């Protein structure tokens, strides 16, 4: 049935993110089409059947009909509940990144994209990914809002300055897909294009090796250097011992409890905030002593430090 | 015929009125158009009808401007790369086009132009509650419009009509001036809304109970409530933007530690209800026209009346559906999606009630009715695609593509603008006293229908294939869709020119309309065409509802027997008489 409306969608290349969306779209199209046809036919039929014969036509007094009124409120209501639930489920799936996802850092700017790998390799406007494996993009903008859109995968996510957002997909076969920027960002917004290039797992490894480390070492190495140079580790231990600030060991994705009683999971956005605005959330048992690193660390630096912290498991 | 004694309301406090039938003159000597003449008289008039016409003129002017920009945009999109203008020019044009169409055309079009004209007449009143305020609203609109327009054109604002931060604040500060202009416009909207609410509450002719209000009035009532409640948020947004600019307090700008997504919340908190400010008055027109041309009582009066109010209220709670991909919280996203669907239901109910009204009617396909049919078809498509966009996973794919562009053109143009055309053709004889050429008008309607679909149907397809909106260049695979769309827009352009032509021509050579060319039961049709300065030369008394087509015309056209020149004698001598008077004969 869904194939009726296939011409409306590009070929689906990431069924894990897009299959539910496609099915839902087909469902809504079909139901809408049936109702629209019903409405249009009724309209035209009435117009012909009850065409005015003379100026003195008498029409019956029909003011309302509660049964009808209830029927045509409840049936659509049930239908939209189905649509809501279905859309919600598909969306949860889009938000839930599989554990074994391969992570790539994305930086958007006016007007292009940079993709950065665990090895330190960086490429512009082309993101190379392995086939058959979930890929997670952790994205950030250097200036205004942008949005990362791959029609073939049915995914889209706004890219914000000052905040990390993420998106995932799993391309099943080697090939290419178009990336668009879909949040208006000025003069060359429509040229802010990129390609996803999907390789088989081996080809991907080979490709990545070829890229080298981009000069400055891997993000984790850079992060470790920065943490020493900037004096982070003078207050934060990396081995679990206590210091002026909380240790970094085991920090990643741990639930943090704050002085004001609230709590939060330590994800990228939390760590970023702690670096730039340390006073906003004080971990229980510590004092507000850290100064902000605003202006001293670039977005890249912060991302690398986060990569380093991620490796400090207990 | 006889003067009768009637009891318009059956409450405990029975008041008996002596009424008699007044037949409006078919060839009036004195009308609001001949009463005061000259430019100055127009500019200082407090007559709601003239103010309505002045709004109509301004809206038409801005529509022309917005329309020319649209054709330029579509022409640029004929080829994937540059066709004839630069990217920056293109970006400024689509910003201007959107801002003009939304803030200068659609928001004021139906309530301020047509609403001003017919609302007091449908209530049997001589004017709105605050005629001077009404004139002030018009001037505020003009000042706001000029201000915004200069700010937009001068600074070459290229942010889109949504002015998203931080893009809008990093390039220039003109966004503040534009928001200021829109804010001034907003005041005009608030004042018109307040004026209408007071008029509806206080100025109804004897016998018009809430259950006998025309549905057009219910729609304008719901609209006015939204206008009064939502518009102040724009003011707050402006204030915050200004504070950020001049005091350096970080609110929206991440460089100052602000939150860019916050702006989107503020923007849509106003602008989503604003889309209902645009469409709900259209619903009112549809109810009037569909009953007149099927000579039949409206089906589901209360369902239609109350669903307008329901839309007005739920409409306040769905703004976040414009932000599903923005990174707003998961809970917010879920709740907004859910509420969005709830707004769809009252809208669907209306459509089905209108269609049920046609059943067993006496249907005449005059131009206004043709537009109603076009409306029902196009607006349904707009509604269904709205449901599609409300579904979270589908919206992720479709957001900010041409699918959304097509959706809102189907509701805003296919809905509001088509309803406006229906209303314009319906009330044109009343406003001008002249008939337009019916044949040319039908050709115009067909051109609009065809042109519209050729323009916007392909946009659904290319949108779901992935074509993003606000793109100056596009990849080759979308060429065919863009070209079809551009051709459609030219057809639309021709359609509108034709409409302008025969309407203007009717002013000079049109046949005399007569007071009630469509045989409507509506109160506004019981005045002469064009109406007298005071609308009615008697105080109308309402016994029957505005849709009581099953009753003979004789039972309408009633007025206070001893009223003269629109003056209710009870206003002069405070004897609201409880004494029963004898039935008189004519
Ligand atoms: C059944 C009723 C409706 C539903 C369920 C609905 C739903 C939606 C949704 C979910 C979106 C967001 C799409 C996106 O940006 O990804 C949207 C966008 C939009 N809708 Fe509707 N809508 C309805 C009626 C209307 C009406 C009556 C109007 C105007 C008169 C309207 C005007 C717009 C506009 C202007 C946008 C896009 C704004 C922009 O991003 O520039 N909609 N609609
Ligand atoms: Cu962009």
């Amino acid at each position: 049935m869904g194939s009726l409306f296939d011409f409306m969608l590009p070929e689906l290349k990431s069924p894990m993110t897009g299959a539910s969306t496609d099915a839902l779209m087909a469902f809504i199209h079909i139901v809408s089409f049936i109702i629209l046809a019903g409405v249009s036919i009724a309209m035209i039929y009435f117009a012909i059947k009850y065409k005015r014969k003379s100026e003195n036509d008498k029409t019956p007094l029909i003011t309302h009909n509660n049964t009808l009124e209830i029927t045509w409120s409840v049936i659509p209501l049930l239908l939209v509940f189905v649509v809501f639930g279905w859309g919600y489920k598909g969306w949860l799936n889009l938000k839930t990144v599989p554990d074994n996802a391969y992570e790539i850092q994305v930086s958007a700017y006016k007007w292009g994209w940079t993709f950065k790998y665990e090895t330190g390799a960086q490429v512009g406007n082309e993101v190379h990914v392995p086939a058959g494996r979930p890929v997670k993009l952790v994205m950030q903008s250097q200036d205004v809002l942008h949005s990362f859109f791959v029609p073939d995968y049915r995914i889209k996510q706004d890219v914000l300055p000052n905040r990390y957002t993420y998106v995932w997909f799993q391309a099943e076969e080697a090939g290419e897909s178009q990336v668009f920027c879909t949040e208006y960002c000025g003069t060359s917004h429509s040229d802010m294009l990129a390609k996803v290039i999907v390789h088989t797992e081996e080809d991907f490894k080979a490709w990545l090796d070829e890229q080298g480390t981009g000069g400055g070492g891997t993000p984790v190495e850079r992060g470790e250097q920065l943490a020493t140079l900037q004096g982070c580790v003078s207050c934060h231990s990396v081995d679990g011992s206590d210091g002026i600030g909380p240790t970094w060991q085991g920090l990643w994705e741990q639930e943090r409890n704050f002085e004001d009683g609230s709590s939060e999971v330590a994800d990228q956005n939390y760590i970023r905030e702690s670096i730039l605005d340390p006073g906003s959330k004080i971990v229980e048992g510590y004092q507000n002593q850290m100064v902000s690193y605003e202006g001293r660390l670039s977005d890249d630096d912060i991302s690398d430090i986060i990569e380093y912290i991620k490796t400090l498991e207990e | 015929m006889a003067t009768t004694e009637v009891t318009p309301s059956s409450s405990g406090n029975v008041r008996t009125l002596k009424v008699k039938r007044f037949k409006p003159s078919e060839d009036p000597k004195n009308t609001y158009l001949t009463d005061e003449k000259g430019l100055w008289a127009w500019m200082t008039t407090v007559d709601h009808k003239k103010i309505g016409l002045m709004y109509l003129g301004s809206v038409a002017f801005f529509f022309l401007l917005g329309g020319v920009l649209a054709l330029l945009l579509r022409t640029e999109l004929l080829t994937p790369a540059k066709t004839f203008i630069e990217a920056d020019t293109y970006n400024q044009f689509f910003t201007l086009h959107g801002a003009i169409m939304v803030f200068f055309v659609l928001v004021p079009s139906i309530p301020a132009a047509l609403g001003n004209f017919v609302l007091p007449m449908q209530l049997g009143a001589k004017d709105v509650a605050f005629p001077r305020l009404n004139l002030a609203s018009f001037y505020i609109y003009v000042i706001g419009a000029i201000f915004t327009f200069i700010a937009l054109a001068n600074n070459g604002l290229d942010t889109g009509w949504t002015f998203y931060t931080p893009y809008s604040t990093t390039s220039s500060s003109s966004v503040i001036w534009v928001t200021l202009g829109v804010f001034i416009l907003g005041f005009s909207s608030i004042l018109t809304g307040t004026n209408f609410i007071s008029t509806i509450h206080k100025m109804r002719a004897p016998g018009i109970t809430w259950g006998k209000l025309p549905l057009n009035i219910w729609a304008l009532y719901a609209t006015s409530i939204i206008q009064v409640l939502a518009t102040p948020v724009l003011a707050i947004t402006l204030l915050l933007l200004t504070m950020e600019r001049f005091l350096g307090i970080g609110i929206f700008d991440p460089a100052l530690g602000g939150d860019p997504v916050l702006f989107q919340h503020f923007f849509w908190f106003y602008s989503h209800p604003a889309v209902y400010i645009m469409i709900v008055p259209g619903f009112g027109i549809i109810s009037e026209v569909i009953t007149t041309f099927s000579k039949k009582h409206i089906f589901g009066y209360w369902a239609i009346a109350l669903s307008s109010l329901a839309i007005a209220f739920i409409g306040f709670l769905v703004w976040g559906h414009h932000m599903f991909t923005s990174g707003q919280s998961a809970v917010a996203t879920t709740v907004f999606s859910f509420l969005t669907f709830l707004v769809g239901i009252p809208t669907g109910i209306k459509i089905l009630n209108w269609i049920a009204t046609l059943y067993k009617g006496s249907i005449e396909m005059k131009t206004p009715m043709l537009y109603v049919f076009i409306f029902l078809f196009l607006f349904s498509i707009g509604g269904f695609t709205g449901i599609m966009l409300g579904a979270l996973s589908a919206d992720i794919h479709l957001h900010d593509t041409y699918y959304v562009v097509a959706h809102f053109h189907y509701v805003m143009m296919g809905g509001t603008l088509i309803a406006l055309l229906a209303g314009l053709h319906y009330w044109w004889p009343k406003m001008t006293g002249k008939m337009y050429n019916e044949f040319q008008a039908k050709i115009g309607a067909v051109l609009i229908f065809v042109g519209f679909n050729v323009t916007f149907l392909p946009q659904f397809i290319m949108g779901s294939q992935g074509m993003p909106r606000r793109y100056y260049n596009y990849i080759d695979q979308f060429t065919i869709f863009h070209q079809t769309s551009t051709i459609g827009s030219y057809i639309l352009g021709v359609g509108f020119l034709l409409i302008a032509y025969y309407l203007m021509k009717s002013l000079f050579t049109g046949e005399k309309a007569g007071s009630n060319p469509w045989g409507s039961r509506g109160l506004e049709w019981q005045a002469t065409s064009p109406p007298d300065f005071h609308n009615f030369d008697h105080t109308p008394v309402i016994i029957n509802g505005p849709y009581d087509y099953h009753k003979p015309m004789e039972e309408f056209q009633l007025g206070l027997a001893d009223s003269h020149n629109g003056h209710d004698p009870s206003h002069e001598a405070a004897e609201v008489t409880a004494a029963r008077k004898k039935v008189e004969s004519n």
Side-chain angles (χ1 to χ4, degrees):
Chain A
M1 274 236 289
S3 55
L4 260 179
F5 291 95
D6 272 358
F7 69 96
M8 292 203 61
L9 286 164
E11 188 195 338
L12 177 63
K13 294 184 182 163
S14 165
M16 289 187 60
T17 49
S20 159
T21 308
D22 284 14
L24 174 59
M25 283 181 71
F27 174 77
I28 300 176
H29 272 132
I30 289 165
V31 175
S32 307
F33 198 78
I34 293 171
I35 302 177
L36 180 68
V39 164
S40 312
I41 291 169
M43 226 158 68
I44 293 167
Y45 174 76
F46 288 161
I48 296 170
K49 170 107 197 259
Y50 303 115
K51 193 168 150 46
R52 185 167 299 174
K53 312 239 161 33
S54 88
E55 283 310 306
N56 306 318
D57 280 358
K58 286 267 165 297
T59 56
L61 174 65
I62 308 172
T63 56
H64 63 290
N65 179 326
N66 289 339
T67 323
L68 261 183
E69 218 67 71
I70 291 170
T71 317
W72 67 41
S73 311
V74 172
I75 294 179
L77 197 63
L78 295 178
L79 280 172
V80 296
F81 281 158
V82 172
V83 171
F84 166 74
W86 196 333
Y88 177 66
K89 220 176 117 236
W91 176 77
L92 266 191
N93 173 47
L94 292 177
K95 290 272 112 187
T96 318
V97 188
D99 282 341
N100 59 335
Y102 182 77
E103 216 174 285
I104 300 170
Q105 308 284 328
V106 182
S107 176
Y109 57 92
K110 288 195 299 202
W111 290 278
W113 306 88
T114 309
F115 301 92
K116 194 166 152 192
Y117 292 80
E118 53 182 342
T119 56
Q122 291 196 24
V123 266
N125 299 335
E126 259 184 26
V127 54
H128 295 252
V129 301
R133 180 163 173 203
V135 174
K136 177 184 184 184
L137 304 180
V138 178
M139 308 186 289
Q140 212 186 0
S141 164
Q142 297 175 19
D143 37 52
V144 300
L145 301 180
H146 300 279
S147 192
F148 185 86
F149 176 36
V150 188
D152 290 350
Y153 302 161
R154 318 290 190 258
I155 55 166
K156 180 179 292 125
Q157 173 61 51
D158 288 8
V159 184
L160 277 57
N162 243 16
R163 185 141 122 218
Y164 295 96
T165 54
Y166 64 90
V167 69
W168 77 276
F169 58 88
Q170 174 168 330
E172 296 301 345
E173 275 158 39
E176 273 186 27
S177 286
Q178 183 69 45
V179 177
F180 295 105
C181 171
T182 45
E183 184 63 66
Y184 174 71
C185 57
T187 313
S188 300
H189 169 53
S190 62
D191 299 326
M192 192 170 154
L193 308 176
K195 282 252 152 68
V196 188
I197 298 170
V198 186
H199 303 277
T200 60
E201 190 86 32
E202 303 88 74
D203 287 358
F204 176 71
K205 284 223 173 65
W207 174 83
L208 196 58
D209 286 345
E210 226 171 82
Q211 300 308 305
T213 63
T218 71
V220 175
E221 287 162 12
R222 278 200 70 224
E224 185 170 8
Q225 279 165 14
L226 280 164
T228 317
L229 272 173
Q230 297 284 343
C232 312
V233 290
S234 59
C235 293
H236 299 278
S237 78
V238 295
D239 57 6
S241 59
D242 214 14
I244 296 175
T247 180
W248 281 358
Q249 193 186 44
L251 170 63
W252 178 242
E253 291 195 326
Q254 195 191 59
E255 176 99 8
R256 306 305 280 166
N257 297 312
F258 305 120
E259 280 290 319
D260 64 3
S262 61
S263 64
E264 194 175 319
V265 171
D267 59 6
Q268 274 124 329
N269 281 321
Y270 168 77
I271 298 177
R272 184 186 163 90
E273 188 187 15
S274 302
I275 296 172
L276 296 178
D277 186 11
S280 69
K281 286 169 189 150
I282 312 288
V283 178
E284 227 171 23
Y286 292 88
Q287 243 118 58
N288 183 8
Q289 293 202 355
M290 177 172 160
V291 292
S292 165
Y293 280 78
E294 182 96 56
R296 285 205 270 159
L297 291 171
S298 70
D299 286 345
D300 260 0
D301 295 343
I302 295 174
S303 295
D304 290 346
I305 292 175
I306 294 173
E307 287 308 305
Y308 171 56
I309 292 178
K310 279 189 190 174
T311 62
L312 300 171
E313 290 170 2
E314 267 172 279
Chain B
M1 91 235 27
T3 322
T4 25
E5 200 172 86
V6 289
T7 326
S9 94
S10 54
S11 66
N13 241 338
V14 181
R15 182 174 102 155
T16 308
L17 301 171
K18 217 162 32 158
V19 301
K20 119 177 162 205
R21 187 171 181 207
F22 288 85
K23 270 181 112 173
S25 155
E26 294 306 309
D27 191 13
K29 305 274 159 329
N30 255 346
T31 72
Y32 76 105
L33 292 171
T34 58
D35 221 46
E36 336 158 283
K37 279 193 170 146
L39 186 63
W40 185 245
W42 272 88
M43 285 177 62
T44 56
T45 185
V46 291
D47 178 18
H48 68 98
K49 299 183 288 299
K50 284 193 174 145
I51 295 176
L53 288 192
M54 295 197 294
Y55 268 115
L56 194 60
S58 330
V59 165
F61 169 76
F62 281 118
F63 182 71
L64 177 69
L65 212 62
V68 168
L69 285 168
L71 293 180
L72 292 176
L73 289 169
R74 284 292 354 147
T75 304
E76 169 55 42
L77 291 173
L78 268 174
T79 60
K82 176 177 169 178
T83 308
F84 78 112
I85 51 178
E86 296 300 330
D88 284 332
T89 318
Y90 178 87
N91 295 344
Q92 289 165 17
F93 280 7
F94 80 65
T95 304
L96 259 174
H97 163 75
I100 289 179
M101 287 302 197
V102 169
F103 297 114
F104 306 173
V105 177
L106 290 177
V107 171
S109 64
I110 298 180
L114 295 183
N116 243 321
F117 195 97
V118 300
L119 177 128
M121 297 192 70
Q122 291 193 322
L123 294 171
K126 279 183 277 182
D127 208 312
V128 290
F130 307 109
R132 287 205 179 84
L133 190 65
N134 200 18
L135 183 65
S137 312
F138 175 72
Y139 282 110
I140 296 173
Y141 164 78
V142 172
I143 294 168
I146 293 175
F147 194 97
T148 318
F149 186 76
I150 292 176
L152 279 167
N154 228 15
N155 296 306
L157 196 65
D158 66 345
T159 60
W161 74 282
T162 44
F163 316 122
Y164 274 15
T165 55
Y167 183 75
S168 58
T169 46
T170 44
S171 47
S172 70
S173 66
S174 57
V175 69
I176 290 184
W177 297 109
V178 174
T179 328
L180 186 60
V182 173
F183 169 65
I184 300 175
L185 278 175
F187 259 97
S188 155
S189 202
I190 295 177
L191 295 179
T192 305
T194 336
N195 215 340
F196 282 7
I197 292 176
S198 328
T199 311
I200 295 168
H201 273 273
K202 289 293 177 202
M203 307 278 286
R204 306 196 303 273
I208 306 191
T209 54
W210 288 94
K212 285 193 181 125
L213 279 183
L215 287 164
N216 187 46
I217 300 288
W218 275 107
L220 289 171
Y221 189 63
T223 310
S224 303
I225 294 176
I226 317 178
Q227 282 177 327
V228 171
L229 294 181
T231 321
V233 177
L234 254 195
I236 298 171
T237 313
L238 165 82
L239 206 70
L240 293 175
L241 265 177
T242 316
M243 273 165 55
E244 172 159 65
R245 274 319 281 197
F246 294 121
L247 306 178
I249 302 173
I251 297 166
F252 305 123
D253 187 351
L256 299 170
D259 179 358
V261 179
L262 185 63
F263 178 84
Q264 299 179 25
H265 279 292
F266 274 106
F267 180 82
W268 288 112
F269 189 89
Y270 166 73
S271 293
H272 192 82
V275 307
Y276 295 103
I277 296 178
M278 297 176 227
I279 191 65
V280 172
F283 295 159
I285 293 177
I286 301 302
S287 301
E288 300 302 309
V289 175
I290 207 164
T291 47
T292 298
F293 291 93
S294 36
K295 275 207 166 153
K296 187 157 164 288
H297 196 283
I298 190 87
F299 186 89
Y301 176 87
W302 285 111
I304 296 180
L306 297 181
S307 56
S308 287
L309 287 179
I311 291 173
F313 286 112
I314 310 174
F316 272 104
L317 306 174
V318 301
W319 77 89
H321 72 212
H322 297 273
M323 303 167 55
F324 288 157
T325 65
S326 73
Q328 74 182 351
S329 86
V331 178
T333 299
T334 314
V335 172
F336 283 129
S337 164
F338 188 77
L339 292 170
T340 298
F341 289 117
L342 294 189
V343 166
I345 300 295
T347 316
I349 291 177
K350 275 179 194 291
I351 293 191
L352 294 168
N353 277 293
W354 285 322
I355 288 175
T357 302
L358 297 172
Y359 174 69
K360 292 204 169 164
S362 161
I363 297 169
E364 188 176 28
M365 266 302 164
K366 284 274 166 68
T367 309
M369 188 65 153
L370 195 54
Y371 277 114
V372 168
F373 273 57
I374 294 176
F375 171 96
L376 289 174
F377 182 75
L378 299 182
F379 185 71
S380 297
I381 296 180
F384 286 127
T385 52
I387 295 290
M388 178 71 92
L389 293 171
L392 285 174
S393 59
D395 185 64
I396 298 293
H397 177 63
L398 298 169
H399 178 68
D400 270 342
T401 66
Y402 262 81
Y403 194 95
V404 171
V405 176
H407 156 73
F408 66 72
H409 281 92
Y410 267 83
V411 280
M412 292 163 76
M413 188 161 176
T416 309
L417 205 80
I418 296 291
L420 175 72
L421 286 174
L424 189 64
H425 285 85
Y426 178 59
W427 283 306
W428 187 260
K430 181 57 58 187
M431 297 191 289
T432 63
K434 297 291 175 59
M435 296 302 287
Y436 44 83
N437 182 317
E438 180 68 23
F439 178 71
Q440 289 170 4
K442 283 206 171 109
I443 301 280
V446 170
L447 279 176
I448 299 277
F449 180 74
V450 172
F452 182 85
N453 285 299
V454 174
T455 309
F456 293 107
L457 269 181
Q459 298 189 357
F460 281 126
I461 302 174
M462 67 172 142
S464 51
Q465 294 231 352
M467 173 71 211
R469 69 195 278 207
R470 297 177 174 172
Y471 261 35
Y472 166 73
N473 292 329
Y474 52 88
I475 59 176
D476 292 342
Q477 97 188 61
F478 298 119
T479 313
I480 180 71
F481 300 110
H482 275 297
Q483 287 178 346
T484 313
S485 186
T486 301
I487 291 168
S489 70
Y490 295 157
I491 303 178
L492 265 177
V494 173
F496 280 111
L497 283 182
L498 176 60
I499 295 177
Y501 163 76
Y502 67 70
L503 285 182
M504 285 308 115
K505 188 160 152 268
S506 78
L507 291 180
F508 304 104
T509 63
E511 260 174 64
K512 273 213 175 338
S515 67
N516 193 355
W518 320 123
S520 171
R521 296 293 191 266
L523 191 47
E524 74 273 28
W525 297 102
Q526 298 174 25
T528 56
S529 299
D532 174 65
F533 183 70
H534 282 310
N535 298 344
F536 303 93
D537 62 359
H538 57 279
T539 301
V541 173
I542 294 345
I543 308 176
N544 300 312
Y547 308 117
D548 285 351
Y549 284 91
H550 55 291
K551 296 187 178 155
M553 202 60 179
E554 286 73 52
E555 291 189 25
F556 294 78
Q557 302 176 327
L558 301 177
L560 284 182
D562 39 13
S563 75
H564 181 64
N565 275 342
H567 295 284
D568 180 340
S570 66
H571 289 168
E572 282 122 50
E575 26 57 287
V576 174
T577 170
R580 306 196 162 243
K581 291 188 184 169
K582 194 82 200 109
V583 180
E584 282 178 357
S585 284
N586 236 7

